Amino acid sequence: MQMSWRGFTDLGDSAYQQLCNEITVEFNDCSKQVLELESIFLSPSYRRNDLASLLRSVQVQEKQKLHLTATIQVLKKAGRPSERLVSHEKCKYRNDDRQQHECVHVHEITEAAGTEEAEADAEYDNAMKEAIQGVQDAVTTINDHLDEVRYEIAALEADY
C-alpha cells in the first residue's frame, strides 16, 4: 500500500489500524533480515563484530524512530489543546431541540484560563518538536551507520 505520510492522518480508524498492521509485518520482516546479516557478521568465517554492532545500532535507532513516529501520529490525532473540537454530548437541551441547548463548555475566559491553555499548547508544541527532532536524529544516525556498513560490505566483496 503506497501512501504519503500526509495522507496517513486522514485515514479512518479501521484503515489506519490495517495500515499499522501492514507496516508492523514489514518491519518484522526487515528486522529478521537484519538479524540474519548480524549473525553472518558474527560467524567464524567473517568475525566482523564491528559490522554486527552497527547493524544492532541501526535496529535500536529504527525502534526509536518508530516509537517517535507513533508519538507524532498520536499528537497529531489529539491536536493542539486550544484547537480541539468540543463535543456537545453532555450539554443540556431544552425541549429536545438540538438547536437550543445550554452548553457546558461555555465558561468565562479569564487570564488564568488563557495562561493554562497557552501552557498546554506550549507543552504540545514542545512534545511535537522533540519527537520530530528525535526522528530526524535517528534517521541521520541510521543513514550514517548504513553507509558505513555498505562501505565495509563493498570492501569485503572486493576481497573475495
Side-chain angles (χ1 to χ4, degrees), residues 90-147:
K90 296 180 181 175
C91 292
K92 296 177 184 175
Y93 293 93
R94 294 185 197 150
N95 302 329
D96 287 332
D97 180 6
R98 295 287 178 191
Q99 300 300 319
Q100 296 285 327
H101 74 278
E102 295 176 26
C103 188
V104 295
H105 307 289
V106 176
H107 53 83
E108 186 178 331
I109 298 175
T110 64
E111 185 176 333
T115 301
E116 187 177 308
E117 188 173 89
E119 287 172 354
D121 278 353
E123 221 174 278
Y124 173 91
D125 292 342
N126 286 336
M128 184 66 85
K129 186 177 180 180
E130 281 180 28
I132 290 169
Q133 185 61 53
V135 168
Q136 291 171 342
D137 292 345
V139 167
T140 298
T141 301
I142 289 165
N143 288 336
D144 289 348
H145 288 336
L146 290 178
D147 284 345

Side-chain angles (χ1 to χ4, degrees), residues 13 21 24 27 56 95 116 131-132 154:
D13 286 338
N21 290 339
T24 299
F27 268 106
R56 172 63 47 207
N95 302 329
E116 187 177 308
I132 290 169

